[in-house]
């Protein structure tokens, strides 16, 4: 699919010219929209990291692969990083432990302890976050931290738009459709850093959760660890200073629910209602199972945020959601400042695609 003004700004690949021509009447509107997205593609791939070009442009151009990048970083097929490439994911299904607690990085490269300075009023993006957490811009931790910081950004948007009140001492989240996050849960205790003194309950709901783990409860009591044996992040007592969370408390509590949200909702509501619903990389337009869930969200009137790999996926999602709710998104589609800085390989689109790339709320 070519843009109207430049054959070089292609967004979609066709198998032949004849197929492209025969599909012309169908794709005309989409073509114009995709052409506009292609004009802003460079902004989507704009990150502050020293490794940005390797992890984005060079992966898209097949000069690098996700595997080769992870190998250079020394984190290929290790711990929580296993699901960041296809070969690692296939191995992880067989041998990954149920809960991995470490970064597999030195303490200078990861947030394994409490912040050394108070939280800014609002973290606006990766550069500000790295500076606050005293992490150098060559550290790859953003490749995993996009999960909790996308949730942080959704909560901040909801507060700014008065969809939910200011966070006080407790936060309840319904988190829909987790997959690789199930093996990367330790990174979510960074929520304690950005929401200090807040007790966070997250119900993870989705068909990717194994039936045998249905109802499982997981408590995070400390930050994900570094590799240094003498680092204070290994200490779990109150005498260790500001490294671990207060003894006997949990900053983040997870509960796992196998199945679709609309099927699990009655059991979920036996506790307190959620402050917010979030569905990362939702693919709303790709799965019919979302329709019942969207109808439920409309009925219970809880603010819900959806992210996806590219702007077009969000456009299709909002169209599907509006057909159910009869309303436009309360929070319009926008670039997520905490999207993963690691390009998706072999995408069907020539548009840059990143995990949690764009976000909107209803």
């Amino acid at each position: 699919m070519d843009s109207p003004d430049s054959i070089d700004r292609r967004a979609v690949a066709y198998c032949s010219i004849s197929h492209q021509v025969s599909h012309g009447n169908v794709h005309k509107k989409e073509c114009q929209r995709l052409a506009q997205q292609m004009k802003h593609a460079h902004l989507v791939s704009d990150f502050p990291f020293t490794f940005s070009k390797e992890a984005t442009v060079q992966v898209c151009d097949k000069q690098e692969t996700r595997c080769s990048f992870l190998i250079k970083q020394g984190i290929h097929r290790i711990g929580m990083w296993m699901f960041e490439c296809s070969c690692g994911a296939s191995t992880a299904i067989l041998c990954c432990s149920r809960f991995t607690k470490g970064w597999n990085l030195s303490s200078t490269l990861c947030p394994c302890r409490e912040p050394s300075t108070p939280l800014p009023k609002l973290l606006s993006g990766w550069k500000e976050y790295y500076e606050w957490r005293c992490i150098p811009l060559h550290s790859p931790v953003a490749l995993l931290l996009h999960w909790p910081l996308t949730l942080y950004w959704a909560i901040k948007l909801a507060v700014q738009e008065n969809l939910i009140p200011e966070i006080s001492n407790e936060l309840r989240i319904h988190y829909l459709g987790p997959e690789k996050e199930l093996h990367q849960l330790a990174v979510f205790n960074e929520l304690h850093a950005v929401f200090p003194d807040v007790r966070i309950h997250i119900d993870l709901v989705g068909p990717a959760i194994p039936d045998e783990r249905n109802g499982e409860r997981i408590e995070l009591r400390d930050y994900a660890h570094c590799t240094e044996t003498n680092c204070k992040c290994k200490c779990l007592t109150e005498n260790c200073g500001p490294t671990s969370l207060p003894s006997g408390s949990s900053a983040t509590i997870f509960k796992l629910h196998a199945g679709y949200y609309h099927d699990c909702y009655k059991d979920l509501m036996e506790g307190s209602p959620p402050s917010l619903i979030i569905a990362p990389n939702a693919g709303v337009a790709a799965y019919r199972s979302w329709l019942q869930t969207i109808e439920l969200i409309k009925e219970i009137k809880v603010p819900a945020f959806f992210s996806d790999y590219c702007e077009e996926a969000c456009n299709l999602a909002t169209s599907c959601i509006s057909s159910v709710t009869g309303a436009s998104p309360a929070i319009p589609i926008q670039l997520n400042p905490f999207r993963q800085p690691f390009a998706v390989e072999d995408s069907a689109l020539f548009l840059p695609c990143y995990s949690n790339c764009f976000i909107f709320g209803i």
Side-chain angles (χ1 to χ4, degrees), residues 112-113 228-236 240-244:
C112 63
R113 293 176 287 177
E228 297 169 19
T229 56
N230 295 325
C231 181
K232 291 182 178 180
C233 69
K234 308 300 188 300
C235 184
L236 298 179
C240 290
T243 300
S244 57

Side-chain angles (χ1 to χ4, degrees), residues 7-300:
I7 197 166
D8 293 325
R9 290 185 177 275
R10 294 173 296 171
V12 177
Y14 279 90
C15 59
S16 66
I17 294 295
S18 60
H19 187 189
Q20 182 178 3
V21 172
S22 66
H23 197 237
N25 289 335
V26 178
H27 80 226
K28 187 174 181 180
K29 288 184 179 179
E30 287 85 349
C31 188
Q32 294 172 347
R33 189 168 63 234
L34 288 166
Q36 290 300 312
Q37 294 172 27
M38 289 295 285
K39 290 179 180 178
H40 302 111
H42 65 286
L43 297 176
V44 179
S45 299
D46 185 19
F47 294 98
F49 307 107
T50 59
F51 58 77
S52 295
K53 188 174 181 180
E54 291 176 81
T56 61
V57 175
Q58 291 182 6
V59 170
C60 290
D61 292 344
K62 300 187 183 301
Q63 298 172 26
E64 288 272 2
T65 66
R66 288 172 75 99
C67 287
S68 67
F69 176 79
L70 293 170
I71 289 169
K72 289 179 180 178
Q73 297 288 327
I75 50 177
H76 185 234
R77 297 174 64 174
I78 295 175
M80 295 190 294
W81 307 95
M82 294 186 78
F83 275 86
E84 296 310 315
C85 66
S86 57
C87 69
S90 62
T91 304
I93 291 172
L94 298 175
C95 68
C96 185
S97 63
R98 175 164 290 194
F99 185 57
T100 305
K101 296 189 69 174
W103 282 108
N104 295 101
L105 296 168
S106 68
S107 62
T108 59
L109 296 179
C110 63
C112 63
R113 293 176 287 177
E114 288 283 310
S116 58
T117 58
L119 176 71
K121 182 67 175 177
L122 178 69
L123 293 168
S124 59
W126 284 122
K127 189 173 187 296
E128 188 176 8
Y129 168 79
Y130 267 54
E131 289 174 351
W132 171 57
R133 286 300 252 144
C134 302
I135 302 170
L137 288 173
H138 61 268
S139 167
V141 291
L143 272 60
L144 300 184
L145 284 170
H146 70 103
W147 297 120
L149 291 183
T150 292
L151 179 51
Y152 161 82
W153 188 249
I155 292 167
K156 287 299 182 179
L157 287 175
V159 170
Q160 285 178 355
E161 297 299 321
N162 297 315
L163 298 180
I164 62 174
E166 284 282 353
I167 308 303
S168 54
N169 60 349
E170 187 172 72
L171 185 61
R172 290 185 175 270
I173 304 293
H174 287 180
Y175 190 112
L176 312 189
E179 293 182 358
K180 67 171 65 175
E181 302 100 302
L182 298 173
H183 296 278
Q184 299 171 335
L185 290 181
V187 303
F188 280 86
N189 228 13
E190 190 62 11
L191 291 171
H192 175 69
V194 294
F195 294 112
D197 304 318
V198 176
R199 191 171 178 87
I200 300 174
H201 302 253
I202 301 179
D203 286 287
L204 299 169
V205 188
I209 295 173
D211 289 337
E212 63 269 21
R213 298 188 67 182
N214 186 48
E216 182 178 332
R217 178 185 170 97
I218 299 170
E219 298 187 6
L220 300 185
R221 297 183 179 275
D222 56 340
Y223 292 97
H225 295 169
C226 68
T227 55
E228 297 169 19
T229 56
N230 295 325
C231 181
K232 291 182 178 180
C233 69
K234 308 300 188 300
C235 184
L236 298 179
T237 67
E238 287 185 279
N239 296 328
C240 290
T243 300
S244 57
L245 306 181
S247 178
S249 69
S250 298
T252 309
I253 300 173
F254 292 96
K255 190 171 183 181
L256 277 56
H257 307 267
Y260 293 112
Y261 188 58
H262 48 269
D263 294 327
C264 300
Y265 181 70
K266 288 184 179 179
D267 292 336
L268 287 165
M269 289 309 293
E270 290 179 358
S272 301
S275 310
L276 192 80
I277 297 167
I278 188 166
N281 299 327
V284 170
Y287 302 100
R288 290 188 59 83
S289 55
W290 274 111
L291 291 177
Q292 285 180 268
T293 291
I294 299 303
E295 289 173 351
L296 173 62
I297 292 173
K298 176 187 176 182
E299 179 182 333
I300 62 178

